[in-house]
Amino acid sequence: MQRTYIKDLKEKIGEEVIIKGWVNVRRDQGKMVFVDMRDMTGLVQCVVLPKSEAIEVAKEIRTEWVLSIKGKVNERPEKNKNDKVQNGDIEIEILNIEILNKAEVLPFEISSDTKDINEDTRLKYRYLDLRSERMQKNIRARGKLIKYVRDFMDSEGFVEVETPILTKSTPEGSRDYVVPSRLYHGKFYALPQSPQQYKQLLMTAGMEKYFQIARCMRDEDSRGDRQPEFTQMDLEMSFVEREDVMDINERCLIGLIQKLYPEKKIQQIPFPRLSFAEAMEKYGSDKPDLREDKNDQNLLAFCWVIDFPFFEKTDEGGWTFTHNPFSRPKPEFMEDLMKKENIEKILTTQYDIALNGMEIGGGSIRNHEPEALQKVFEIMGHETEKIKENFGHMLSAFSLGTPPHGGIAWGIDRLVMILQNEPNIREVIPFAKTGEGKDPMMESPTTITETQLRELHIKIRDTNPK
Ligand code: ASP
């Protein structure tokens, strides 16, 4: 007999079925034993009647054991029906129980919300935490959102391209995670902070419309809603202007909310736009929360922030980029860039998108002429030799037929977090790390063996070298 999913039981009244899943709750009433069974599709109440051959086994089983149950789907007597729960009008009369796996007493209860359980414990036993209803919903919603984005991008003619994980240090502002090379003594790969350079090179490569659900790694100090690794929806397009990129992203976001979150209301369509100066002046933030009612869980206030300054002063008195060194200034500031004049006044084509006071994405039109990119690095004080060493491949690509292009990346974790009404991104990341960047389940990071270290030509220094 084939397994029936719990959600389909109501169509099988009067029939014998096999269900498989976990014991959600077990109630021993002496003569009868009730077992609420759970699979990925829901819950159903099962009962072992007094004279059943299954009664002995039923007395032995405990919560979270994994069972295969053979039983008959009965309609409940009118007085026992409960329309508040799934399958509240049926019950399975158990004929036979096969134990597939036993479970010791769990370190914490997963039949109710695990929100109040110590987070390190939840992360140590993440595979149990994920069994809970809320976490199941979050992870499945995340999968659906990613699927929506993939389908949307595909329908718009984008191609999904994977870019390397072992790469070279990027200048996107954060510290790199590095991977030592065994074959090349003293050399290191870096994990990508974003696929920025690769996606631009894909425009040189003639892909024209690229996207990727990309994992990015940044070695930053711990902060509430940061993780060492996070997921971006990353895209890049050729022959476009700012409006084109903003338009496609806005359509994708509106579509996904209307399809996947019909209960939510988008406060304003098209999304309002504010200049950086306006946002700072009116709201004191470059990711303003424009919600008219901040108590409403289902209100979504998106907004674009544009016209950011390209450069800002460093503590040492030099210049650095505010967002992305590969951005292009707004057309009216191109001349200033090329002449390296009025640097503080140059505005970039950068566009950020905020949702309910959180930044969920950002991107820009890029400098696709080598001379213009070169100027950005010169303004930041990079020596010509260094520019060649670090960005020679970009400058070379840009002198071999690169179309004008631009793109964006969204933080998938943050977007899902907001849509699922969760307080932090760890609630929507399947195997999250702690705020301090540890994985209590795998116990990483860990030491490695002396042999591994030798192969990698690495010697560990004292913690606090003099
Ligand atoms: N690479 C940028 C980021 O990670 C996004 C972009 O400009 O496309 O923030």
Side-chain angles (χ1 to χ4, degrees), residues 172 194 196 199 218 232 234 236 324 362-364 366 407-409:
E172 270 142 280
S194 89
Q196 181 71 33
K199 70 173 172 175
R218 296 182 190 173
Q232 283 188 345
D234 189 49
E236 198 75 8
N324 190 330
S364 62
R366 328 294 183 186
I408 196 168

Side-chain angles (χ1 to χ4, degrees), residues 219-272:
D219 190 358
E220 293 174 313
D221 289 337
S222 55
R223 267 213 253 157
D225 64 344
R226 295 267 162 107
Q227 282 276 295
E229 54 183 303
F230 57 96
T231 306
Q232 283 188 345
M233 195 290 286
D234 189 49
L235 73 75
E236 198 75 8
M237 306 162 77
S238 290
F239 306 108
V240 288
E241 292 179 8
R242 186 168 83 171
E243 293 303 314
D244 303 302
V245 184
M246 290 166 82
D247 172 69
I248 199 156
N249 282 279
E250 195 162 322
R251 282 194 287 118
C252 183
L253 284 165
I254 293 169
L256 92 77
I257 280 149
Q258 288 173 344
K259 167 113 192 272
L260 303 178
Y261 294 89
E263 72 283 9
K264 301 218 181 250
K265 185 174 169 275
I266 302 177
Q267 184 167 287
Q268 198 180 333
I269 297 175
F271 301 165

Side-chain angles (χ1 to χ4, degrees), residues 26 29 39 42 46 49 56 60 103 112 139 169 177 208 227 293 304 333 336 340 348 353 368 384 391 456:
R26 175 188 156 280
Q29 298 201 340
D39 71 10
C46 310
L49 297 174
E56 289 304 312
E60 192 196 335
S112 53
I139 301 311
S169 270
Y177 277 102
E208 290 202 33
Q227 282 276 295
D293 176 1
W304 290 103
F333 296 97
D336 282 340
K340 298 193 270 184
T348 143
I353 183 160
H368 68 286
T384 310
F391 305 104
L456 297 169

